[in-house]
Structures are given as structure tokens and as C-alpha cells.
Amino acid sequence: MDLVTETDFLSRLIGTNIKVTTVHGCFQGELCHIHADRAILLIRVKDLSTGKPLPGAKLFFGQAILNVETVEEPSDHLGQERDEPVDESSGNMLSQPGVKHEEIDATTLQRMKESINSSGADQDINYIVIDQFQPTFGPAIRHLQNQKVLGLAAVALNVSRHGKLCWLQIATKSYIYLFDILLLGPRVFKNGLQMVFEDKGILKVVHDGRWLGNFLSHQYNVELKNVFDTQVADVYLFSMETGGFLPSCTSTVKECLTRYLKLSPSQVSFLIYKETLVKDNPSIWCDRPLPTAALKLLSLEVVHLLPLRSAMLDAMLADYTLLVDGYLNTCSQGSPDMLPSSERLSLMLSREGVSIGLTEKTQDPENPKKDPRGRALRQLKPS
């Protein structure tokens, strides 16, 4: 059986109970995921040599698999606990003391769907899950490299320098890419994401990117460059509006969306629900396969970042816009005789420009400063 045929055959068995014979022993569990390179992921795994259930999920690499066969024993008889997620890069369990992995039950799923529906964006979400390197990873990276601005978010187990990154959400104007880091492993950065994150020609929009930048730097040796942080932008705008004062605390992404995009409480309720969901079940993002509702929840978290940046930039340029309005109004409301010829208008700073204080500092007449275009700058006084 060739690779393509074998992969297609195993894909039909997802959710069924199988027995895997490897160079290290025999294992039995429920087939959860299969990679194009024949690596397979099992949950509720039992080591047949000892008869003991193994905690968490177990990844078996293709080169170590000797045989795969189906068994009739229901997977419910296998290990009942799924305490820890799997590290795809090593095949080992990720020990997280005090964290217990639970399946997403029907009630949680229903609440998740209601939260998404209340946001009003359910029908507009166009997301693509990237959980294997073929065939979608390459085209996704090429699409990202052609962008000027990207929205970026992430979820992890134990949000700290020593945690485990589970999903990376990247938004463009057309698509939302959900990279399954738990399954793809560190190769996801070496195969393209590192170039995107370190490209100074691509602006990355994040909200409070401190933990993500710290995470990427220490675990994957990846540096985030050319970043627009909406939390920092909010502090800057507050300082502008208050004449240099700083806020007593930083704003959450929910507060920023409400303040700058004028989203209603129901439209941002998914963020509150996500916080509650993670608090009740910290390892929820390690569940595989992740339900569609959870994937949409991840997409909603990043879909608003690009318009949020645009709204914040507009607010930052508010003073400049007022200057332009004054510049135009002074001219339009003045006498027709005051308007110079079109030739002079393009070569000289008008009286209107002087009146709004575009040139304030007095220059030394013996040593006038030069602007980037090589012309001497001088102080103009209204007549």
C-alpha cells in the first residue's frame, strides 16, 4: 500500500479504536489525527505490554510504526484520563501539575455557540485550519508573506515563558489562519512563520504582545519585529487626550473594541466567555480535534485587530486632521483676492499655513536650517 492510499485509509478510521505496533511496543487507543507523513495521534491510549492506560495523547511517528490494525474493543475501556497534552516535537507528554484535561461537553459547546452567535460575526468568519504541512501550509505562508499588515493572537497552556503554545491565529484582510502548533511543532517556524514574524516589511498587530514575544523568543528563538500593539496605542491615545497623563491601568482588548470600534457588549461577549472557559478548563486548547465552535471562537479573537488598528490610527491623527480642516477653511472663507496664483500656491507657504503655527521656531538668519529637500527654512510672519 503506497503512502497516499495508506493515509487515505487511516483517515477513514478517525474516531475508531486501533492497535499500533511500533519498534517500542504495542499500544491501543482511539485514532484522533493522522499526518501526511504517516504520524498518527491516539487518545485514551493503553500500553498493551503492561495493560496500563497512558495519560494524555500519544503521537507515533511513521518511521517507528510497524503495523496498524483495528480492534473491536470500545475505546471507553481504555484510559479514562486525559491529563496532559502531547509535545509533537518529541512525542512525550507535557507535564503540567495541577492541570486536568477535560473534554468539551455538550453544555459548554452550546454556550460557546451562543456566544459566537451573539457577536453577529458567525457567518462572516472565513478561517482555515493548518494542522499539517501538506497541502495548505505552503500556500498559507506565501499568502502571509505578501501582506503588509497581519493580525496576530495566540492561546497556550500556562501562559508564561515555560508554557506550551497551542494555537497561533493570524488574520489577513481575506482569511484567518489557525495554526495548530501542538500538532505541527517547532518546524512550523523553521518552515516559514519565523520569516513572517521577523519581516520588518510586515506589520504585526497584537494586543499586549509581551507574553507572546517572550514566549517565541525563549522557546523558538523567534523575534517579533515591526509590531503595532493596540494596548500600547490605547495608552498613547489616553496620554494625548489628557495632556501627558498615563492611565491607572491598561485596557483589555474588549475595552478597546468597545471604545474605538463602538462594538456593543453582546458583540464582544465572546471574549468574556473565552476567559471563563479557560478559567474552568485551562487545557481546553489542547483538545484534539477542537470543535468547530472553539475554532470560531479563536477566529473571533483576531478578526477585529486590523480594523482596531485603523480606528486607533485615525484617533492618533485627530490633531493633524483638525489642522488640515483649519488650513482649508481659512482659505475657503477668505476674500477671493487673498488667494494667490496656482504657481505661487505650489511654491510658497501660504498665510493660512502660517496662521496655524506650522513654523514656530526662530531661525538664525546667518545659518538657516535645511529641510530634507534642500531648501532653507525660515520663519514666516503674517503681514
Side-chain angles (χ1 to χ4, degrees), residues 19-149:
K19 174 184 176 182
V20 179
T21 303
T22 71
V23 294
H24 305 293
C26 293
F27 304 88
Q28 187 174 319
E30 180 183 329
L31 182 61
C32 178
H33 184 83
I34 178 170
H35 290 259
D37 58 0
R38 294 179 64 232
I40 61 177
L41 184 70
L42 298 185
I43 59 176
R44 302 183 180 88
V45 186
K46 180 172 69 175
D47 187 343
L48 296 181
S49 61
T50 62
K52 295 182 178 180
L54 301 177
K58 183 71 175 176
L59 186 71
F60 299 91
F61 293 97
Q63 62 268 25
I65 298 176
L66 301 178
N67 186 46
V68 176
E69 58 185 288
T70 60
V71 294
E72 296 183 358
E73 181 182 351
S75 58
D76 293 342
H77 293 172
L78 301 176
Q80 299 299 317
E81 294 185 355
R82 299 171 62 189
D83 296 334
E84 302 165 312
V86 66
D87 183 349
E88 192 271 351
S89 60
S90 64
N92 297 325
M93 299 301 128
L94 298 169
S95 179
Q96 296 288 343
V99 175
K100 187 175 181 64
H101 183 81
E102 300 176 1
E103 290 188 27
I104 303 178
D105 56 33
T107 303
T108 302
L109 278 176
Q110 182 60 33
R111 290 178 180 174
M112 198 181 298
K113 292 176 182 178
E114 291 174 356
S115 175
I116 293 171
N117 291 335
S118 65
S119 70
D122 185 30
Q123 302 301 323
D124 300 329
I125 301 177
N126 187 15
Y127 68 88
I128 300 174
V129 176
I130 310 293
D131 56 6
Q132 55 188 8
F133 289 100
Q134 295 294 339
T136 55
F137 182 83
I141 293 297
R142 288 191 290 272
H143 178 68
L144 295 176
Q145 290 175 326
N146 291 328
Q147 304 303 304
K148 295 298 182 183
V149 185

Side-chain angles (χ1 to χ4, degrees), residues 301-316:
E301 186 180 18
V302 73
V303 72
H304 296 294
L305 288 179
L306 298 187
L308 177 59
R309 166 188 170 264
S310 297
M312 286 182 152
L313 285 178
D314 289 343
M316 291 177 183

Side-chain angles (χ1 to χ4, degrees), residues 78-350:
L78 301 176
Q80 299 299 317
E81 294 185 355
R82 299 171 62 189
D83 296 334
E84 302 165 312
V86 66
D87 183 349
E88 192 271 351
S89 60
S90 64
N92 297 325
M93 299 301 128
L94 298 169
S95 179
Q96 296 288 343
V99 175
K100 187 175 181 64
H101 183 81
E102 300 176 1
E103 290 188 27
I104 303 178
D105 56 33
T107 303
T108 302
L109 278 176
Q110 182 60 33
R111 290 178 180 174
M112 198 181 298
K113 292 176 182 178
E114 291 174 356
S115 175
I116 293 171
N117 291 335
S118 65
S119 70
D122 185 30
Q123 302 301 323
D124 300 329
I125 301 177
N126 187 15
Y127 68 88
I128 300 174
V129 176
I130 310 293
D131 56 6
Q132 55 188 8
F133 289 100
Q134 295 294 339
T136 55
F137 182 83
I141 293 297
R142 288 191 290 272
H143 178 68
L144 295 176
Q145 290 175 326
N146 291 328
Q147 304 303 304
K148 295 298 182 183
V149 185
L150 300 173
L152 178 62
V155 290
L157 180 65
N158 184 13
V159 180
S160 69
R161 182 181 300 182
H162 307 292
K164 182 62 182 176
L165 192 60
C166 298
W167 291 91
L168 270 174
Q169 308 114 271
I170 304 180
T172 70
K173 293 181 179 179
S174 307
Y175 301 101
I176 298 173
Y177 294 102
L178 304 179
F179 288 88
D180 191 341
I181 307 302
L182 207 60
L183 290 180
L184 295 173
R187 286 192 300 162
V188 72
F189 298 102
K190 298 177 182 178
N191 289 1
L193 273 187
Q194 182 170 5
M195 291 187 293
V196 173
F197 289 166
E198 297 183 349
D199 190 335
K200 295 181 180 179
I202 303 176
L203 181 67
K204 276 71 71 174
V205 183
V206 301
H207 184 85
D208 190 8
R210 292 173 296 177
W211 79 266
L212 180 57
N214 190 21
F215 207 106
L216 294 175
S217 176
H218 286 85
Q219 289 205 16
Y220 300 103
N221 196 28
V222 175
E223 299 294 333
L224 275 180
K225 296 180 180 178
N226 192 14
V227 176
F228 183 98
D229 194 313
T230 55
Q231 189 175 76
V232 177
D234 177 69
V235 173
Y236 175 78
L237 288 170
F238 181 92
S239 180
M240 282 181 56
E241 295 170 0
T242 59
F245 289 95
L246 295 177
S248 57
C249 61
T250 56
S251 298
T252 64
V253 65
K254 170 184 171 294
E255 293 169 335
C256 288
L257 293 177
T258 303
R259 183 176 302 127
Y260 300 102
L261 294 184
K262 310 302 180 185
L263 297 185
S264 65
S266 62
Q267 289 177 302
V268 294
S269 61
F270 69 92
L271 290 169
I272 301 176
Y273 179 74
K274 176 177 174 287
E275 293 176 1
T276 304
L277 192 66
V278 174
K279 191 174 183 179
D280 295 339
N281 185 8
S283 60
I284 186 172
W285 306 120
C286 299
D287 195 20
R288 296 297 181 276
L290 201 63
T292 301
L295 295 173
K296 289 183 177 180
L297 201 61
L298 292 178
S299 302
L300 280 173
E301 186 180 18
V302 73
V303 72
H304 296 294
L305 288 179
L306 298 187
L308 177 59
R309 166 188 170 264
S310 297
M312 286 182 152
L313 285 178
D314 289 343
M316 291 177 183
L317 292 174
D319 289 345
Y320 167 75
T321 303
L322 288 175
L323 286 177
V324 173
D325 290 342
Y327 190 74
L328 298 178
N329 290 336
T330 303
C331 182
S332 63
Q333 296 172 6
S335 171
D337 298 334
M338 296 174 58
L339 186 63
S341 67
S342 60
E343 182 178 353
R344 291 180 59 205
L345 190 64
S346 63
L347 294 177
M348 65 180 290
L349 181 63
S350 67

